[in-house]
Amino acid sequence: MALIVTKEFLMLNRFIKRRPLCFCVASAIRRTVLISNYDRESVLSRKFEKPVVSSVTYEQHQISSTRDFCASVQPERLCWEGSSHAIMLKRLKKALKEHQVNEAWESFIDFKRLHGFPEDFVIRKLITELCYSSDPHWLLKACDIVLVILKERSDLLQSDILAKLSLSLVRSQMPKPATMILRILLEKENLPSMNVLCLIVLHMVKTEVGTHLASNFLVQICHCFQCSSVNKSIHAKLVKPNTMIFNLVLDACVRFKLSFKGQQIMELMPQTGVVADAHSIIIIAQIHVLNGQRDEIQKYKSHIDQVSAPFMQHYRHFYDSLLSLHFKFNDIEAATELVLQMCEYHESLPIQRDRKISQRSYLVPIGSHNLKSGLNMQILPELLLCDSVLKIEGKQELVLYWNGKLALSNRALAKLINGYKRGRDTCKLSEILLKIQKELCSLRGSCLCSDVIDACINLGWLETAHDLLDDMDAAGAPMGLTAFMSLLEAYYRGKMFREAKALLKQMRKAGFLSSIPDEMVVSKCQPILDTSSTCTNVSSTASKSDLENALVQEMRDEKDASVVYQFNSSINFFCKAKMMDDALKTYRRMQEMKIQPTEQTFTYLLYGYSSLGMIRTITILWGDIKRNMESGNLVVSRDLYEYLLLNFLRGGYFERVMEVIDFMKEHGMYTDKWLYRSEFVKLHKNLYRNLKASEARTEAQRKRLKYVEKFRKWAGVD
């Protein structure tokens, strides 16, 4: 042992002066420090070497420094009880036992500097203790320990402790470091069970950034599973995603309106052999609504129509989505057909099915039926997991479940009425209104027709109201005196005397006011309650105004975008079939007709070109996208930016890559640097690694080198 008196002596003096008198004797003994030659270098340097943290850390929780362990400990706090391994370890264990997180952390720092890592069970206990804290500061400290251990002693960590840390992070709404831990586990082929993973994802998708990370991680899991399956690895069974994790991510995509990301995730289900349950079908339908894909959602209808009665309440979301698309395509006939079918469902559906039939699965094609390379989604329409944590809470917009039946909301009625009014086909409207009223398939019950006529009168649609009265009479369902008197009063208020005279004549013919002279009717024209008429569901004034408000709102929102939906549907079909020439012709036709392309238009084209590896063409399309953005006609989502970025990265167009990154920064969008860095390392790891700008042969090469170096610096690629 060598005797060393160093500058730490002065620090020790200052430290002892702050101690109580009872410690003076013991402190005096420690004025000289006896340490072995092995420990001398550590004490003299008194600096724990800054860990080389992977670029994942820099990217995921954006800490300005790597949080050097010694930085959190002041010189006065240094351990001077001697260099005894046992004493320092005892103090660390004591702090952990008493749940003193701050004391445990500082004790660990002291121990690490002198003796390296303690036993694995102590490390696990320390990380566990940090995980129990809800303070983000301590959770990030746990991440630091994990990263340093992975660099120096990866054998100390087990998957259960990392899974616990990831769960603690997402519970504290820290999805970035949580995803970092999960990616480490996936790289080590030590992913936690799918049940634990679902619990982590459940918390992760509560935020939009968490949803982006969860969806990217799910894509990563699927690719890992596919590679393992090809190689027939045992690891494939451990990483195969289940239905629940897909449902959680897809539902979050719907909530945050990530239509393109949802489409990508949805198509991974048949690729990985995951079966879609009743929840999946509803969410898939909602994603098709976001993307305007009516043909895709209709492929599920024949199977949903056959489910037993108990499932009808669940599948009202499906019919709501389909009806919404019919209206978006301005297809009133298809909407009417669906409404009439819903009116009859309660009579035709079986109350209960045989278990074997209820568990029967079906295959639904994704894309065209004629595509040889198309995917088939396996669905179980009557599989509804009782222990599912997912609750579908879509807005009750068009289709409701009321009194054991599917019923139309006021908004759906308003869309239907407005559609037929535009087409001047009140005869067909009367027919469907009578059918709905007969089956009580609306909230207005048996007063539906009179409520619709009243709403039309109050909105000034007197001609429509008169036509409905005539059509109802012709159909053998004449209206009561109240409806006639409301219209007559409106005619007189509007000084439409000729129409009023014709209506009064019609009323007398129907048996109303036969004993009252015309002069008396004119002088005392006011609403007369028809006390003889009865309704099974008398509408209140408030509920009547709901229908009127819905009609007014529908007129305000009236914007025929059906042509855009039809063009997009055609482009999507051609792109799925890899018929890009036809897709491009359709796109050019839109431009010629002055029809503004939407984000879906560009998404489908990008998807088609990307599937064929036509990255150069994507750069041309990117020019069109920028022009539309500059003119204020297009708003691009984060998912589309990310898809562009990945394609440019794969094609080696680094100037375009940095351009897209700048757009994302400008709009405050989250960038998953780990994803982009991984793609770069996989494809361009050694690109221009040793080339200097002065050594570039051409100006083009010098320019490309500049952007490659810029990306390396931004993404943190070594």
Side-chain angles (χ1 to χ4, degrees):
M1 302 286 284
L3 181 64
I4 302 174
V5 180
T6 67
K7 62 180 180 180
E8 278 81 359
F9 178 78
L10 299 175
M11 294 169 55
L12 181 61
N13 262 345
R14 189 163 66 252
F15 175 71
I16 291 172
K17 286 178 183 177
R18 300 182 181 184
R19 296 273 181 119
L21 184 61
C22 59
F23 289 106
C24 287
V25 177
S27 299
I29 297 173
R30 294 193 293 272
R31 288 181 188 276
T32 56
V33 184
L34 289 173
I35 62 173
S36 64
N37 287 329
Y38 175 80
D39 290 333
R40 182 184 180 204
E41 188 178 341
S42 299
V43 175
L44 289 176
S45 64
R46 194 53 66 187
K47 184 84 171 175
F48 178 52
E49 186 178 0
K50 194 171 183 179
V52 182
V53 182
S54 70
S55 55
V56 175
T57 311
Y58 173 80
E59 158 217 338
Q60 292 291 358
H61 35 110
Q62 302 290 312
I63 305 300
S64 57
S65 70
T66 51
R67 294 185 301 280
D68 183 3
F69 286 164
C70 74
S72 62
V73 184
Q74 300 301 320
E76 293 83 359
R77 183 62 189 78
L78 293 172
C79 177
W80 289 97
E81 282 80 1
S83 60
S84 169
H85 178 282
I87 292 175
M88 298 181 74
L89 186 61
K90 182 178 179 181
R91 195 178 74 180
L92 173 57
K93 290 180 179 178
K94 182 174 182 294
L96 290 172
K97 185 176 181 180
E98 294 176 355
H99 307 294
Q100 300 293 327
V101 180
N102 192 62
E103 181 74 19
W105 175 257
E106 294 176 346
S107 299
F108 168 73
I109 296 298
D110 291 344
F111 188 94
K112 176 68 175 66
R113 286 173 182 161
L114 292 176
H115 305 290
F117 288 108
E119 295 92 335
D120 56 350
F121 78 90
V122 178
I123 289 290
R124 288 199 299 272
K125 194 168 183 181
L126 174 62
I127 295 176
T128 301
E129 198 65 39
L130 294 173
C131 288
Y132 286 150
S133 171
S134 58
D135 188 345
H137 170 76
W138 294 120
L139 291 172
L140 289 176
K141 291 290 186 186
C143 290
D144 289 339
I145 296 176
V146 167
L147 291 171
V148 176
I149 291 175
L150 285 171
K151 176 181 174 291
E152 299 183 17
R153 290 281 307 279
S154 59
D155 57 301
L156 289 178
L157 292 175
Q158 296 180 357
S159 62
D160 60 334
I161 196 71
L162 293 180
K164 186 182 295 183
L165 174 57
S166 184
L167 183 57
S168 299
L169 288 165
V170 292
R171 280 176 172 167
S172 297
Q173 292 305 304
M174 300 167 68
K176 300 175 189 178
T179 308
M180 174 194 71
I181 299 296
L182 290 176
R183 283 168 167 165
I184 289 171
L185 285 168
L186 185 60
E187 288 174 359
K188 292 167 64 69
E189 296 188 351
N190 216 353
L191 205 63
S193 68
M194 278 299 146
N195 289 335
V196 174
L197 202 56
C198 284
L199 187 57
I200 294 172
V201 170
L202 172 66
H203 291 283
M204 192 180 292
V205 297
K206 291 178 181 178
T207 64
E208 186 170 351
V209 170
T211 301
H212 288 305
L213 287 167
S215 56
N216 285 344
F217 182 63
L218 180 54
V219 172
Q220 190 182 352
I221 292 175
C222 292
H223 290 167
C224 183
F225 168 74
Q226 288 172 311
C227 293
S228 300
S229 299
V230 170
N231 299 327
K232 298 182 179 179
S233 169
I234 301 176
H235 181 57
K237 293 182 179 179
L238 301 176
V239 297
K240 181 178 180 179
N242 59 14
T243 304
M244 177 56 68
I245 194 170
F246 270 103
N247 287 350
L248 289 170
V249 175
L250 287 172
D251 181 63
C253 288
V254 172
R255 277 189 284 114
F256 295 109
K257 293 183 170 33
L258 310 180
S259 56
F260 183 47
K261 182 65 72 174
Q263 182 77 22
Q264 290 176 301
I265 297 294
M266 181 189 71
E267 292 181 0
L268 285 173
M269 293 182 74
Q271 293 178 29
T272 52
V274 176
V275 178
D277 65 1
H279 281 312
S280 310
I281 295 170
I282 297 300
I283 303 168
I284 288 170
Q286 292 170 342
I287 289 172
H288 286 317
V289 171
L290 291 176
N291 288 310
Q293 298 170 339
R294 183 172 64 155
D295 292 340
E296 294 296 319
I297 193 175
Q298 288 195 115
K299 295 173 186 176
Y300 294 83
K301 184 177 179 299
S302 60
H303 306 299
I304 306 307
D305 289 345
Q306 300 174 29
V307 299
S308 52
F311 286 89
M312 192 48 58
Q313 181 175 2
H314 173 80
Y315 280 113
R316 76 137 187 103
H317 298 276
F318 175 84
Y319 293 108
D320 187 289
S321 298
L322 181 54
L323 186 59
S324 171
L325 281 175
H326 285 325
F327 285 129
K328 283 183 177 180
F329 276 79
N330 197 24
D331 193 344
I332 299 300
E333 290 185 6
T336 300
E337 184 181 353
L338 179 60
V339 168
L340 294 177
Q341 287 176 359
M342 289 192 297
C343 290
E344 299 169 354
Y345 278 158
H346 68 282
E347 299 174 356
S348 59
L349 292 176
I351 298 175
Q352 194 170 5
R353 287 183 180 277
D354 182 80
R355 183 175 178 81
K356 290 182 179 179
I357 299 176
S358 64
Q359 296 303 315
R360 181 183 297 169
S361 65
Y362 306 92
L363 292 178
V364 177
I366 296 178
S368 172
H369 294 271
N370 302 319
L371 296 181
K372 294 180 181 179
S373 59
L375 299 169
N376 287 307
M377 178 81 74
Q378 185 179 2
I379 65 170
L380 277 168
E382 296 198 15
L383 176 61
L384 198 59
L385 301 177
C386 298
D387 58 347
S388 173
V389 294
L390 183 67
K391 301 297 180 185
I392 304 293
E393 297 181 354
K395 294 181 181 178
Q396 297 187 354
E397 293 190 347
L398 301 177
V399 181
L400 315 174
Y401 189 75
W402 181 68
N403 283 352
K405 300 175 183 178
L406 295 177
L408 295 185
S409 68
N410 287 322
R411 186 179 176 189
L413 286 169
K415 285 181 176 292
L416 208 60
I417 294 166
N418 200 45
Y420 279 110
K421 180 178 177 291
R422 279 200 311 267
R424 297 183 177 277
D425 191 356
T426 55
C427 183
K428 185 68 176 178
L429 176 60
S430 303
E431 183 183 331
I432 187 174
L433 288 176
L434 286 170
K435 177 68 175 178
I436 295 171
Q437 178 174 277
K438 179 182 177 183
E439 300 296 339
L440 301 178
C441 289
S442 79
L443 296 181
R444 322 204 75 79
S446 61
C447 289
L448 171 64
C449 294
S450 61
D451 284 354
V452 170
I453 292 172
D454 285 346
C456 290
I457 293 170
N458 293 337
L459 292 173
W461 301 351
L462 304 186
E463 183 181 352
T464 302
H466 201 153
D467 289 343
L468 287 173
L469 282 171
D470 291 343
D471 293 334
M472 299 290 180
D473 187 54
M479 302 304 297
L481 178 60
T482 304
F484 282 98
M485 288 304 299
S486 296
L487 181 57
L488 185 63
E489 187 180 43
Y491 277 146
Y492 279 117
R493 276 200 308 269
K495 297 181 180 180
M496 301 171 67
F497 302 116
R498 188 176 63 179
E499 289 82 357
K501 186 176 181 180
L503 179 62
L504 186 56
K505 184 178 180 181
Q506 184 180 344
M507 290 171 66
R508 293 190 185 284
K509 187 176 179 181
F512 298 124
L513 308 177
S514 56
S515 60
I516 303 177
D518 290 358
E519 293 77 8
M520 187 177 294
V521 174
V522 172
S523 61
K524 298 183 178 181
C525 187
Q526 59 181 354
I528 301 174
L529 297 179
D530 184 8
T531 55
S532 62
S533 64
T534 57
C535 291
T536 59
N537 180 36
V538 179
S539 302
S540 65
T541 304
S543 65
K544 283 185 179 180
S545 65
D546 288 343
L547 178 57
E548 291 170 21
N549 290 336
L551 283 165
V552 171
Q553 188 63 41
E554 186 60 29
M555 286 189 295
R556 286 176 183 168
D557 297 341
E558 189 175 358
K559 183 180 178 182
D560 190 4
S562 59
V563 179
V564 178
Y565 282 107
Q566 289 164 6
F567 270 108
N568 283 348
S569 182
S570 299
I571 291 173
N572 183 37
F573 172 82
F574 291 134
C575 291
K576 289 279 186 184
K578 296 181 172 52
M579 301 165 64
M580 296 311 299
D581 287 340
D582 294 289
L584 188 59
K585 287 177 183 176
T586 307
Y587 171 61
R588 296 302 180 205
R589 199 178 306 126
M590 285 182 74
Q591 294 177 316
E592 291 169 4
M593 296 174 64
K594 307 296 183 183
I595 297 172
Q596 177 60 42
T598 64
E599 186 184 18
Q600 274 71 35
T601 311
F602 293 113
T603 299
Y604 298 145
L605 290 168
L606 287 170
Y607 181 87
Y609 287 131
S610 177
S611 64
L612 295 173
M614 301 172 67
I615 311 300
R616 183 174 179 79
T617 311
I618 291 179
T619 62
I620 299 171
L621 194 62
W622 168 233
D624 280 3
I625 294 173
K626 286 190 293 183
R627 280 189 290 275
N628 278 275
M629 287 193 296
E630 289 166 3
S631 64
N633 294 322
L634 180 68
V635 177
V636 175
S637 68
R638 180 201 170 276
D639 287 342
L640 189 56
Y641 277 126
E642 184 172 88
Y643 196 60
L644 282 163
L645 198 159
L646 288 171
N647 276 283
F648 290 148
L649 195 56
R650 288 161 189 161
Y653 292 88
F654 288 94
E655 185 176 357
R656 300 284 82 78
V657 167
M658 296 312 301
E659 191 178 10
V660 174
I661 289 171
D662 289 340
F663 270 100
M664 295 180 77
K665 284 181 181 177
E666 184 182 334
H667 292 88
M669 295 177 177
Y670 171 71
T671 51
D672 189 357
K673 290 186 182 180
W674 184 96
L675 178 65
Y676 317 140
R677 182 172 54 253
S678 298
E679 201 68 25
F680 178 87
V681 170
K682 183 170 67 176
L683 299 172
H684 311 288
K685 183 177 182 180
N686 298 314
L687 181 64
Y688 299 153
R689 179 178 286 275
N690 300 316
L691 182 67
K692 297 180 180 179
S694 59
E695 298 171 348
R697 296 179 180 179
T698 63
E699 182 61 30
Q701 190 180 44
R702 187 178 295 107
K703 188 177 180 182
R704 188 166 187 243
L705 173 61
K706 171 189 170 183
Y707 286 106
V708 170
E709 289 176 344
K710 193 175 180 181
F711 176 81
R712 281 180 179 274
K713 183 179 179 180
W714 176 80
V717 180
D718 296 332

